Amino acid sequence: MPVFEYAPAPESRAVVDIAPSYGLFIDGEFAGAGDGKVFKTLSPSSEEVLSEVAQAGAEDVDRAVKAARKAFGTWSALPGSERAKYLFRIARIIQERSRELAVLESLDNGKPIRESRDADLPLVAAHFFYYAGWADKLAYAVRGRSALNGTSGADPRPLGVAGQVIPWNFPLLMLAWKIAPALATGNTVVLKPAETTPLSALFFADICRQAGLPKGVVNIVTGDGSTGAELVGHPGIDKVAFTGSTEVGKAIARTVAGTRKKVTLELGGKAANIVFDDAPVDQAVEGIIGGIFFNQGHVCCAGSRLLVQESVQDELLDALKRRMGTLRVGDPLDKNTDIGAINSAEQLARIRSLADAGEAEGAERWAPACELPSSGYWFAPTLFTGVTQAHRIAREEIFGPVLSVLTFRTPEEAVAKANNTPYGLSAGIWTEKGSRILWMANKLRAGVVWSNTFNKFDPASPFGGYKESGYGREGGRHGLEAYLDV
Ligand code: TAP
């Protein structure tokens, strides 16, 4: 495997101007936390401190919720066509500033610039365009509603103030999934980005000002889990939208139980990517590579379990290993990089410990020869064979570039193994047989099933899980219902 030492790329770096410190964005203004607390955000590829960011406490969260409440009256009263204009404006500014935002995201998160530029940013803009289009058509947002209550043509009502908490793996994209439908439906928001990736949300706050969005409609409170818990528990919010781990999702469900708050949870996953013996090997290999190594495997719907039909196991694994040997790990700002930095020291420690557990439990570990950069957080693309369903690497979400390979003989066995997980977010099927795809898609307990592709996203398509992967849907028309009083 080629080795790429981390070397700052001055040219790309110059397109983004990161201030030495940032305040919270409340009621249209940036200001420090009431108690003056701050935390540092660093680049996981170099461990360089990028900026110092305000750590919101209970009083700051309270101020943000009150600002959102004050703004709700006028924002929700605007005709949908007027709200749409703001969302279209935001979408266009995101496109105009996409180079800057892509570099920022790669610096703060560690993801390859090719991915932030070609996947994250276009999808972020697409979400705002898509939901802008819905803002004046909300009477059609809830299926069957007009027929049920006879209010044909009347818009369903927004919920009020949404408290939104997002993770670090797709910082700006998760923000777009949350903020675009909330604003289109007339809600106002307080959003908390993850502690390790706060910067793109703060740049987005600047975009809101640039777009002339009325004060208080979007508020950004940066901080750690304690800030998230303050927001979720605040009595002034009407809706909680959370994306993150199943563990924190369960804690949030307990917090909001018995309150008036409506909640949607997008949680973890352990997807099966299922390859049948009639699948074109080269195409399947590309899908497996993209399924697990895209975004360093920090993807809730990552195809982290490869289920391969026994008769093609050897051929497929040979081709997969050859392809893994061509992956370039290193500087996220290098356009040739395939796998960037692991987002944090904590996440790296978790990936290492689960990979070590895989070896200790008897699975066979393989990685291409790979010397990793000396500073920053890195993990080589790794493959485990001889994995059984009892192994931790087959059961637990690793959220890193680690693939566990299991085999099956019959479609029934593939379905049983794929469904043998507490999660149910996504799955992939590789076969030439259309009837088998339909049969499998019906049997798989996964919110999204891809066939002969993987990790394909579209703002018009609903996304969400079964079982411990959460409840509620984001994206598409379904994503509007989560923000409407139906
Ligand atoms: P978490 O540790 O759950 O953190 C997610 C967010 O919740 C962060 O902003 C975090 O703040 C905050 N938080 C932590 N404790 C909280 C609490 N008690 N109350 C309220 N908020 C709290 O997850 P993560 O490590 O950032 O992200 C990885 C997980 O997200 C994976 O399990 C992944 O599968 C899941 N994920 C799911 C999806 C979908 S769509 N299903 C998409 C992306 C990621 P701090 O960052 O400061 O801890």
Side-chain angles (χ1 to χ4, degrees), residues 16 44 99-113 116-117 120-121 124 168-174 197-201 332-333 343:
V16 59
R99 202 161 158 240
E100 173 195 6
L101 293 167
V103 171
L104 178 75
E105 202 76 319
S106 284
L107 281 169
D108 207 17
N109 170 280
K111 63 176 69 200
I113 187 72
S116 46
R117 182 195 63 187
D120 296 47
L121 263 299
V124 171
W168 44 260
N169 57 341
F170 293 95
L172 203 52
L173 185 56
M174 290 299 107
T197 53
L199 294 180
S200 53
L333 293 185
N343 180 253

PDB file of all heavy atoms in Angstrom, residues 16 44 99-113 116-117 120-121 124 168-174 197-201 332-333 343:
ATOM      1  N   VAL A  16     -10.083  28.501   3.431  1.00  0.00           N
ATOM      2  CA  VAL A  16     -10.964  28.660   4.592  1.00  0.00           C
ATOM      3  C   VAL A  16     -10.260  29.449   5.688  1.00  0.00           C
ATOM      4  O   VAL A  16      -9.115  29.184   6.023  1.00  0.00           O
ATOM      5  CB  VAL A  16     -11.485  27.286   5.101  1.00  0.00           C
ATOM      6  CG1 VAL A  16     -10.383  26.358   5.494  1.00  0.00           C
ATOM      7  CG2 VAL A  16     -12.462  27.463   6.263  1.00  0.00           C
ATOM      8  N   PRO A  44      -8.050  16.051  13.331  1.00  0.00           N
ATOM      9  CA  PRO A  44      -7.620  14.690  13.678  1.00  0.00           C
ATOM     10  C   PRO A  44      -6.483  14.173  12.808  1.00  0.00           C
ATOM     11  O   PRO A  44      -5.842  13.196  13.158  1.00  0.00           O
ATOM     12  CB  PRO A  44      -8.884  13.852  13.471  1.00  0.00           C
ATOM     13  CG  PRO A  44      -9.746  14.639  12.553  1.00  0.00           C
ATOM     14  CD  PRO A  44      -9.414  16.083  12.772  1.00  0.00           C
ATOM     15  N   ARG A  99     -16.542  25.065  -1.634  1.00  0.00           N
ATOM     16  CA  ARG A  99     -15.120  24.717  -1.563  1.00  0.00           C
ATOM     17  C   ARG A  99     -14.592  24.981  -0.143  1.00  0.00           C
ATOM     18  O   ARG A  99     -13.923  24.143   0.467  1.00  0.00           O
ATOM     19  CB  ARG A  99     -14.372  25.573  -2.586  1.00  0.00           C
ATOM     20  CG  ARG A  99     -13.075  24.972  -2.961  1.00  0.00           C
ATOM     21  CD  ARG A  99     -12.504  25.494  -4.253  1.00  0.00           C
ATOM     22  NE  ARG A  99     -11.066  25.244  -4.218  1.00  0.00           N
ATOM     23  CZ  ARG A  99     -10.155  26.186  -4.296  1.00  0.00           C
ATOM     24  NH1 ARG A  99     -10.501  27.447  -4.448  1.00  0.00           N
ATOM     25  NH2 ARG A  99      -8.880  25.873  -4.228  1.00  0.00           N
ATOM     26  N   GLU A 100     -14.950  26.156   0.344  1.00  0.00           N
ATOM     27  CA  GLU A 100     -14.541  26.551   1.701  1.00  0.00           C
ATOM     28  C   GLU A 100     -15.096  25.558   2.741  1.00  0.00           C
ATOM     29  O   GLU A 100     -14.379  25.085   3.631  1.00  0.00           O
ATOM     30  CB  GLU A 100     -15.119  27.962   1.935  1.00  0.00           C
ATOM     31  CG  GLU A 100     -14.976  28.518   3.306  1.00  0.00           C
ATOM     32  CD  GLU A 100     -15.901  29.742   3.495  1.00  0.00           C
ATOM     33  OE1 GLU A 100     -16.700  30.049   2.585  1.00  0.00           O
ATOM     34  OE2 GLU A 100     -15.819  30.364   4.565  1.00  0.00           O
ATOM     35  N   LEU A 101     -16.372  25.228   2.593  1.00  0.00           N
ATOM     36  CA  LEU A 101     -17.006  24.338   3.569  1.00  0.00           C
ATOM     37  C   LEU A 101     -16.437  22.922   3.488  1.00  0.00           C
ATOM     38  O   LEU A 101     -16.287  22.241   4.509  1.00  0.00           O
ATOM     39  CB  LEU A 101     -18.526  24.303   3.350  1.00  0.00           C
ATOM     40  CG  LEU A 101     -19.252  25.619   3.656  1.00  0.00           C
ATOM     41  CD1 LEU A 101     -20.677  25.592   3.101  1.00  0.00           C
ATOM     42  CD2 LEU A 101     -19.280  25.900   5.156  1.00  0.00           C
ATOM     43  N   ALA A 102     -16.112  22.477   2.280  1.00  0.00           N
ATOM     44  CA  ALA A 102     -15.558  21.128   2.121  1.00  0.00           C
ATOM     45  C   ALA A 102     -14.189  21.038   2.802  1.00  0.00           C
ATOM     46  O   ALA A 102     -13.898  20.067   3.506  1.00  0.00           O
ATOM     47  CB  ALA A 102     -15.450  20.766   0.639  1.00  0.00           C
ATOM     48  N   VAL A 103     -13.361  22.058   2.621  1.00  0.00           N
ATOM     49  CA  VAL A 103     -12.042  22.046   3.264  1.00  0.00           C
ATOM     50  C   VAL A 103     -12.204  22.092   4.783  1.00  0.00           C
ATOM     51  O   VAL A 103     -11.552  21.348   5.527  1.00  0.00           O
ATOM     52  CB  VAL A 103     -11.168  23.227   2.759  1.00  0.00           C
ATOM     53  CG1 VAL A 103      -9.891  23.343   3.567  1.00  0.00           C
ATOM     54  CG2 VAL A 103     -10.848  23.046   1.286  1.00  0.00           C
ATOM     55  N   LEU A 104     -13.117  22.951   5.232  1.00  0.00           N
ATOM     56  CA  LEU A 104     -13.361  23.052   6.681  1.00  0.00           C
ATOM     57  C   LEU A 104     -13.775  21.697   7.253  1.00  0.00           C
ATOM     58  O   LEU A 104     -13.266  21.254   8.290  1.00  0.00           O
ATOM     59  CB  LEU A 104     -14.477  24.086   6.925  1.00  0.00           C
ATOM     60  CG  LEU A 104     -14.870  24.277   8.378  1.00  0.00           C
ATOM     61  CD1 LEU A 104     -13.804  25.077   9.116  1.00  0.00           C
ATOM     62  CD2 LEU A 104     -16.215  24.995   8.495  1.00  0.00           C
ATOM     63  N   GLU A 105     -14.701  21.031   6.565  1.00  0.00           N
ATOM     64  CA  GLU A 105     -15.211  19.748   7.049  1.00  0.00           C
ATOM     65  C   GLU A 105     -14.095  18.699   7.089  1.00  0.00           C
ATOM     66  O   GLU A 105     -13.989  17.934   8.043  1.00  0.00           O
ATOM     67  CB  GLU A 105     -16.347  19.299   6.113  1.00  0.00           C
ATOM     68  CG  GLU A 105     -17.303  18.304   6.720  1.00  0.00           C
ATOM     69  CD  GLU A 105     -18.282  18.912   7.707  1.00  0.00           C
ATOM     70  OE1 GLU A 105     -17.884  19.778   8.505  1.00  0.00           O
ATOM     71  OE2 GLU A 105     -19.461  18.492   7.693  1.00  0.00           O
ATOM     72  N   SER A 106     -13.253  18.701   6.060  1.00  0.00           N
ATOM     73  CA  SER A 106     -12.158  17.730   6.037  1.00  0.00           C
ATOM     74  C   SER A 106     -11.135  18.019   7.136  1.00  0.00           C
ATOM     75  O   SER A 106     -10.558  17.105   7.703  1.00  0.00           O
ATOM     76  CB  SER A 106     -11.463  17.729   4.669  1.00  0.00           C
ATOM     77  OG  SER A 106     -12.269  17.037   3.745  1.00  0.00           O
ATOM     78  N   LEU A 107     -10.919  19.307   7.432  1.00  0.00           N
ATOM     79  CA  LEU A 107      -9.969  19.656   8.499  1.00  0.00           C
ATOM     80  C   LEU A 107     -10.509  19.249   9.869  1.00  0.00           C
ATOM     81  O   LEU A 107      -9.800  18.669  10.684  1.00  0.00           O
ATOM     82  CB  LEU A 107      -9.713  21.168   8.500  1.00  0.00           C
ATOM     83  CG  LEU A 107      -8.748  21.704   7.451  1.00  0.00           C
ATOM     84  CD1 LEU A 107      -8.800  23.227   7.406  1.00  0.00           C
ATOM     85  CD2 LEU A 107      -7.321  21.232   7.757  1.00  0.00           C
ATOM     86  N   ASP A 108     -11.772  19.552  10.138  1.00  0.00           N
ATOM     87  CA  ASP A 108     -12.325  19.343  11.483  1.00  0.00           C
ATOM     88  C   ASP A 108     -12.699  17.878  11.708  1.00  0.00           C
ATOM     89  O   ASP A 108     -12.638  17.377  12.825  1.00  0.00           O
ATOM     90  CB  ASP A 108     -13.576  20.228  11.656  1.00  0.00           C
ATOM     91  CG  ASP A 108     -13.827  20.589  13.115  1.00  0.00           C
ATOM     92  OD1 ASP A 108     -12.890  20.436  13.935  1.00  0.00           O
ATOM     93  OD2 ASP A 108     -14.940  21.022  13.441  1.00  0.00           O
ATOM     94  N   ASN A 109     -13.098  17.192  10.616  1.00  0.00           N
ATOM     95  CA  ASN A 109     -13.578  15.814  10.746  1.00  0.00           C
ATOM     96  C   ASN A 109     -12.527  14.780  10.385  1.00  0.00           C
ATOM     97  O   ASN A 109     -12.521  13.684  10.953  1.00  0.00           O
ATOM     98  CB  ASN A 109     -14.816  15.624   9.840  1.00  0.00           C
ATOM     99  CG  ASN A 109     -15.229  14.184   9.724  1.00  0.00           C
ATOM    100  OD1 ASN A 109     -14.642  13.422   8.959  1.00  0.00           O
ATOM    101  ND2 ASN A 109     -16.215  13.776  10.498  1.00  0.00           N
ATOM    102  N   GLY A 110     -11.651  15.087   9.415  1.00  0.00           N
ATOM    103  CA  GLY A 110     -10.636  14.121   8.987  1.00  0.00           C
ATOM    104  C   GLY A 110     -11.007  13.389   7.711  1.00  0.00           C
ATOM    105  O   GLY A 110     -10.234  12.589   7.197  1.00  0.00           O
ATOM    106  N   LYS A 111     -12.206  13.659   7.155  1.00  0.00           N
ATOM    107  CA  LYS A 111     -12.642  12.905   5.962  1.00  0.00           C
ATOM    108  C   LYS A 111     -11.930  13.404   4.703  1.00  0.00           C
ATOM    109  O   LYS A 111     -11.571  14.585   4.616  1.00  0.00           O
ATOM    110  CB  LYS A 111     -14.153  12.985   5.795  1.00  0.00           C
ATOM    111  CG  LYS A 111     -14.703  14.363   5.545  1.00  0.00           C
ATOM    112  CD  LYS A 111     -16.202  14.310   5.288  1.00  0.00           C
ATOM    113  CE  LYS A 111     -16.986  13.940   6.530  1.00  0.00           C
ATOM    114  NZ  LYS A 111     -18.306  13.432   6.263  1.00  0.00           N
ATOM    115  N   PRO A 112     -11.733  12.521   3.708  1.00  0.00           N
ATOM    116  CA  PRO A 112     -11.043  12.934   2.479  1.00  0.00           C
ATOM    117  C   PRO A 112     -11.800  14.061   1.772  1.00  0.00           C
ATOM    118  O   PRO A 112     -13.031  14.035   1.700  1.00  0.00           O
ATOM    119  CB  PRO A 112     -11.064  11.674   1.607  1.00  0.00           C
ATOM    120  CG  PRO A 112     -11.318  10.552   2.535  1.00  0.00           C
ATOM    121  CD  PRO A 112     -12.110  11.098   3.676  1.00  0.00           C
ATOM    122  N   ILE A 113     -11.038  14.985   1.232  1.00  0.00           N
ATOM    123  CA  ILE A 113     -11.635  16.142   0.557  1.00  0.00           C
ATOM    124  C   ILE A 113     -12.496  15.695  -0.623  1.00  0.00           C
ATOM    125  O   ILE A 113     -13.516  16.299  -0.931  1.00  0.00           O
ATOM    126  CB  ILE A 113     -10.542  17.143   0.097  1.00  0.00           C
ATOM    127  CG1 ILE A 113     -11.156  18.435  -0.455  1.00  0.00           C
ATOM    128  CG2 ILE A 113      -9.606  16.539  -0.936  1.00  0.00           C
ATOM    129  CD1 ILE A 113     -11.765  19.329   0.562  1.00  0.00           C
ATOM    130  N   SER A 116     -15.860  15.028   0.975  1.00  0.00           N
ATOM    131  CA  SER A 116     -16.594  16.214   1.454  1.00  0.00           C
ATOM    132  C   SER A 116     -17.008  17.085   0.260  1.00  0.00           C
ATOM    133  O   SER A 116     -18.105  17.645   0.239  1.00  0.00           O
ATOM    134  CB  SER A 116     -15.794  17.015   2.491  1.00  0.00           C
ATOM    135  OG  SER A 116     -14.490  17.202   2.074  1.00  0.00           O
ATOM    136  N   ARG A 117     -16.140  17.130  -0.770  1.00  0.00           N
ATOM    137  CA  ARG A 117     -16.438  17.961  -1.940  1.00  0.00           C
ATOM    138  C   ARG A 117     -17.503  17.321  -2.841  1.00  0.00           C
ATOM    139  O   ARG A 117     -18.405  18.003  -3.327  1.00  0.00           O
ATOM    140  CB  ARG A 117     -15.131  18.149  -2.737  1.00  0.00           C
ATOM    141  CG  ARG A 117     -15.221  19.028  -3.956  1.00  0.00           C
ATOM    142  CD  ARG A 117     -13.995  18.842  -4.840  1.00  0.00           C
ATOM    143  NE  ARG A 117     -13.917  17.485  -5.348  1.00  0.00           N
ATOM    144  CZ  ARG A 117     -12.884  17.005  -6.043  1.00  0.00           C
ATOM    145  NH1 ARG A 117     -11.832  17.760  -6.280  1.00  0.00           N
ATOM    146  NH2 ARG A 117     -12.886  15.767  -6.489  1.00  0.00           N
ATOM    147  N   ASP A 120     -20.618  15.035   0.556  1.00  0.00           N
ATOM    148  CA  ASP A 120     -21.257  15.797   1.632  1.00  0.00           C
ATOM    149  C   ASP A 120     -21.876  17.106   1.138  1.00  0.00           C
ATOM    150  O   ASP A 120     -23.070  17.345   1.320  1.00  0.00           O
ATOM    151  CB  ASP A 120     -20.254  16.135   2.752  1.00  0.00           C
ATOM    152  CG  ASP A 120     -19.726  14.912   3.466  1.00  0.00           C
ATOM    153  OD1 ASP A 120     -19.335  13.957   2.772  1.00  0.00           O
ATOM    154  OD2 ASP A 120     -19.679  14.906   4.708  1.00  0.00           O
ATOM    155  N   LEU A 121     -21.034  17.958   0.532  1.00  0.00           N
ATOM    156  CA  LEU A 121     -21.523  19.309   0.188  1.00  0.00           C
ATOM    157  C   LEU A 121     -22.655  19.308  -0.836  1.00  0.00           C
ATOM    158  O   LEU A 121     -23.668  19.988  -0.639  1.00  0.00           O
ATOM    159  CB  LEU A 121     -20.360  20.204  -0.228  1.00  0.00           C
ATOM    160  CG  LEU A 121     -19.812  21.103   0.874  1.00  0.00           C
ATOM    161  CD1 LEU A 121     -20.881  22.076   1.397  1.00  0.00           C
ATOM    162  CD2 LEU A 121     -19.290  20.314   2.066  1.00  0.00           C
ATOM    163  N   VAL A 124     -25.725  18.347   1.018  1.00  0.00           N
ATOM    164  CA  VAL A 124     -26.178  19.396   1.945  1.00  0.00           C
ATOM    165  C   VAL A 124     -27.040  20.409   1.177  1.00  0.00           C
ATOM    166  O   VAL A 124     -28.168  20.726   1.569  1.00  0.00           O
ATOM    167  CB  VAL A 124     -24.972  20.108   2.612  1.00  0.00           C
ATOM    168  CG1 VAL A 124     -25.436  21.335   3.385  1.00  0.00           C
ATOM    169  CG2 VAL A 124     -24.226  19.153   3.535  1.00  0.00           C
ATOM    170  N   TRP A 168     -20.692  13.433  14.763  1.00  0.00           N
ATOM    171  CA  TRP A 168     -19.510  14.035  14.129  1.00  0.00           C
ATOM    172  C   TRP A 168     -19.172  13.435  12.779  1.00  0.00           C
ATOM    173  O   TRP A 168     -18.224  13.880  12.131  1.00  0.00           O
ATOM    174  CB  TRP A 168     -18.296  13.886  15.060  1.00  0.00           C
ATOM    175  CG  TRP A 168     -18.164  12.530  15.685  1.00  0.00           C
ATOM    176  CD1 TRP A 168     -18.544  12.188  16.957  1.00  0.00           C
ATOM    177  CD2 TRP A 168     -17.650  11.331  15.099  1.00  0.00           C
ATOM    178  NE1 TRP A 168     -18.299  10.852  17.197  1.00  0.00           N
ATOM    179  CE2 TRP A 168     -17.748  10.306  16.063  1.00  0.00           C
ATOM    180  CE3 TRP A 168     -17.116  11.009  13.855  1.00  0.00           C
ATOM    181  CZ2 TRP A 168     -17.336   8.991  15.834  1.00  0.00           C
ATOM    182  CZ3 TRP A 168     -16.718   9.703  13.611  1.00  0.00           C
ATOM    183  CH2 TRP A 168     -16.820   8.714  14.591  1.00  0.00           C
ATOM    184  N   ASN A 169     -19.902  12.418  12.344  1.00  0.00           N
ATOM    185  CA  ASN A 169     -19.432  11.717  11.140  1.00  0.00           C
ATOM    186  C   ASN A 169     -19.749  12.460   9.835  1.00  0.00           C
ATOM    187  O   ASN A 169     -18.973  12.417   8.891  1.00  0.00           O
ATOM    188  CB  ASN A 169     -19.933  10.273  11.103  1.00  0.00           C
ATOM    189  CG  ASN A 169     -21.429  10.170  11.170  1.00  0.00           C
ATOM    190  OD1 ASN A 169     -22.104  11.111  11.581  1.00  0.00           O
ATOM    191  ND2 ASN A 169     -21.976   9.038  10.775  1.00  0.00           N
ATOM    192  N   PHE A 170     -20.909  13.113   9.780  1.00  0.00           N
ATOM    193  CA  PHE A 170     -21.255  13.969   8.624  1.00  0.00           C
ATOM    194  C   PHE A 170     -21.796  15.279   9.209  1.00  0.00           C
ATOM    195  O   PHE A 170     -23.010  15.530   9.153  1.00  0.00           O
ATOM    196  CB  PHE A 170     -22.334  13.313   7.747  1.00  0.00           C
ATOM    197  CG  PHE A 170     -21.878  12.072   7.047  1.00  0.00           C
ATOM    198  CD1 PHE A 170     -22.100  10.822   7.597  1.00  0.00           C
ATOM    199  CD2 PHE A 170     -21.206  12.157   5.834  1.00  0.00           C
ATOM    200  CE1 PHE A 170     -21.667   9.677   6.962  1.00  0.00           C
ATOM    201  CE2 PHE A 170     -20.773  11.005   5.186  1.00  0.00           C
ATOM    202  CZ  PHE A 170     -21.011   9.756   5.753  1.00  0.00           C
ATOM    203  N   PRO A 171     -20.931  16.123   9.768  1.00  0.00           N
ATOM    204  CA  PRO A 171     -21.428  17.253  10.562  1.00  0.00           C
ATOM    205  C   PRO A 171     -22.407  18.159   9.809  1.00  0.00           C
ATOM    206  O   PRO A 171     -23.516  18.417  10.296  1.00  0.00           O
ATOM    207  CB  PRO A 171     -20.158  17.997  10.952  1.00  0.00           C
ATOM    208  CG  PRO A 171     -19.071  16.972  10.849  1.00  0.00           C
ATOM    209  CD  PRO A 171     -19.469  16.037   9.766  1.00  0.00           C
ATOM    210  N   LEU A 172     -22.018  18.589   8.615  1.00  0.00           N
ATOM    211  CA  LEU A 172     -22.883  19.531   7.907  1.00  0.00           C
ATOM    212  C   LEU A 172     -24.082  18.817   7.277  1.00  0.00           C
ATOM    213  O   LEU A 172     -25.187  19.366   7.215  1.00  0.00           O
ATOM    214  CB  LEU A 172     -22.064  20.255   6.834  1.00  0.00           C
ATOM    215  CG  LEU A 172     -22.587  21.609   6.368  1.00  0.00           C
ATOM    216  CD1 LEU A 172     -22.862  22.557   7.518  1.00  0.00           C
ATOM    217  CD2 LEU A 172     -21.600  22.240   5.399  1.00  0.00           C
ATOM    218  N   LEU A 173     -23.882  17.598   6.846  1.00  0.00           N
ATOM    219  CA  LEU A 173     -24.984  16.860   6.228  1.00  0.00           C
ATOM    220  C   LEU A 173     -26.048  16.507   7.268  1.00  0.00           C
ATOM    221  O   LEU A 173     -27.256  16.627   7.008  1.00  0.00           O
ATOM    222  CB  LEU A 173     -24.453  15.588   5.542  1.00  0.00           C
ATOM    223  CG  LEU A 173     -25.480  14.791   4.749  1.00  0.00           C
ATOM    224  CD1 LEU A 173     -26.165  15.650   3.688  1.00  0.00           C
ATOM    225  CD2 LEU A 173     -24.821  13.577   4.087  1.00  0.00           C
ATOM    226  N   MET A 174     -25.612  16.109   8.457  1.00  0.00           N
ATOM    227  CA  MET A 174     -26.594  15.813   9.515  1.00  0.00           C
ATOM    228  C   MET A 174     -27.348  17.089   9.914  1.00  0.00           C
ATOM    229  O   MET A 174     -28.539  17.052  10.218  1.00  0.00           O
ATOM    230  CB  MET A 174     -25.904  15.197  10.734  1.00  0.00           C
ATOM    231  CG  MET A 174     -25.399  13.789  10.507  1.00  0.00           C
ATOM    232  SD  MET A 174     -26.721  12.614  10.105  1.00  0.00           S
ATOM    233  CE  MET A 174     -26.445  12.329   8.372  1.00  0.00           C
ATOM    234  N   THR A 197     -16.612  18.166  16.168  1.00  0.00           N
ATOM    235  CA  THR A 197     -16.790  18.796  14.841  1.00  0.00           C
ATOM    236  C   THR A 197     -17.777  19.970  14.891  1.00  0.00           C
ATOM    237  O   THR A 197     -18.813  19.950  14.221  1.00  0.00           O
ATOM    238  CB  THR A 197     -17.326  17.761  13.823  1.00  0.00           C
ATOM    239  OG1 THR A 197     -18.495  17.157  14.387  1.00  0.00           O
ATOM    240  CG2 THR A 197     -16.317  16.702  13.474  1.00  0.00           C
ATOM    241  N   PRO A 198     -17.463  21.011  15.668  1.00  0.00           N
ATOM    242  CA  PRO A 198     -18.440  22.102  15.794  1.00  0.00           C
ATOM    243  C   PRO A 198     -18.354  23.151  14.686  1.00  0.00           C
ATOM    244  O   PRO A 198     -19.268  23.959  14.528  1.00  0.00           O
ATOM    245  CB  PRO A 198     -18.051  22.741  17.135  1.00  0.00           C
ATOM    246  CG  PRO A 198     -16.563  22.523  17.224  1.00  0.00           C
ATOM    247  CD  PRO A 198     -16.291  21.203  16.527  1.00  0.00           C
ATOM    248  N   LEU A 199     -17.252  23.151  13.886  1.00  0.00           N
ATOM    249  CA  LEU A 199     -16.981  24.336  13.069  1.00  0.00           C
ATOM    250  C   LEU A 199     -17.957  24.549  11.917  1.00  0.00           C
ATOM    251  O   LEU A 199     -18.378  25.680  11.652  1.00  0.00           O
ATOM    252  CB  LEU A 199     -15.539  24.313  12.562  1.00  0.00           C
ATOM    253  CG  LEU A 199     -14.477  24.452  13.661  1.00  0.00           C
ATOM    254  CD1 LEU A 199     -13.077  24.424  13.065  1.00  0.00           C
ATOM    255  CD2 LEU A 199     -14.684  25.731  14.467  1.00  0.00           C
ATOM    256  N   SER A 200     -18.328  23.471  11.214  1.00  0.00           N
ATOM    257  CA  SER A 200     -19.185  23.709  10.038  1.00  0.00           C
ATOM    258  C   SER A 200     -20.564  24.221  10.459  1.00  0.00           C
ATOM    259  O   SER A 200     -21.191  24.987   9.717  1.00  0.00           O
ATOM    260  CB  SER A 200     -19.285  22.467   9.148  1.00  0.00           C
ATOM    261  OG  SER A 200     -19.677  21.346   9.885  1.00  0.00           O
ATOM    262  N   ALA A 201     -21.039  23.837  11.652  1.00  0.00           N
ATOM    263  CA  ALA A 201     -22.337  24.369  12.113  1.00  0.00           C
ATOM    264  C   ALA A 201     -22.215  25.872  12.377  1.00  0.00           C
ATOM    265  O   ALA A 201     -23.159  26.641  12.140  1.00  0.00           O
ATOM    266  CB  ALA A 201     -22.795  23.644  13.373  1.00  0.00           C
ATOM    267  N   PRO A 332      -6.208  14.196   4.513  1.00  0.00           N
ATOM    268  CA  PRO A 332      -7.574  14.402   4.017  1.00  0.00           C
ATOM    269  C   PRO A 332      -7.658  15.484   2.939  1.00  0.00           C
ATOM    270  O   PRO A 332      -8.587  15.471   2.144  1.00  0.00           O
ATOM    271  CB  PRO A 332      -8.351  14.843   5.260  1.00  0.00           C
ATOM    272  CG  PRO A 332      -7.532  14.407   6.411  1.00  0.00           C
ATOM    273  CD  PRO A 332      -6.112  14.394   5.967  1.00  0.00           C
ATOM    274  N   LEU A 333      -6.700  16.409   2.916  1.00  0.00           N
ATOM    275  CA  LEU A 333      -6.784  17.480   1.930  1.00  0.00           C
ATOM    276  C   LEU A 333      -6.134  17.116   0.591  1.00  0.00           C
ATOM    277  O   LEU A 333      -6.178  17.897  -0.354  1.00  0.00           O
ATOM    278  CB  LEU A 333      -6.156  18.767   2.476  1.00  0.00           C
ATOM    279  CG  LEU A 333      -6.908  19.393   3.647  1.00  0.00           C
ATOM    280  CD1 LEU A 333      -6.275  20.730   4.035  1.00  0.00           C
ATOM    281  CD2 LEU A 333      -8.385  19.598   3.343  1.00  0.00           C
ATOM    282  N   ASN A 343     -11.780  10.155  13.475  1.00  0.00           N
ATOM    283  CA  ASN A 343     -12.189  11.473  13.959  1.00  0.00           C
ATOM    284  C   ASN A 343     -11.604  11.896  15.303  1.00  0.00           C
ATOM    285  O   ASN A 343     -11.424  13.092  15.547  1.00  0.00           O
ATOM    286  CB  ASN A 343     -13.722  11.550  14.008  1.00  0.00           C
ATOM    287  CG  ASN A 343     -14.210  12.888  14.508  1.00  0.00           C
ATOM    288  OD1 ASN A 343     -14.689  13.005  15.623  1.00  0.00           O
ATOM    289  ND2 ASN A 343     -14.030  13.930  13.694  1.00  0.00           N
TER     290      ASN A 343
END
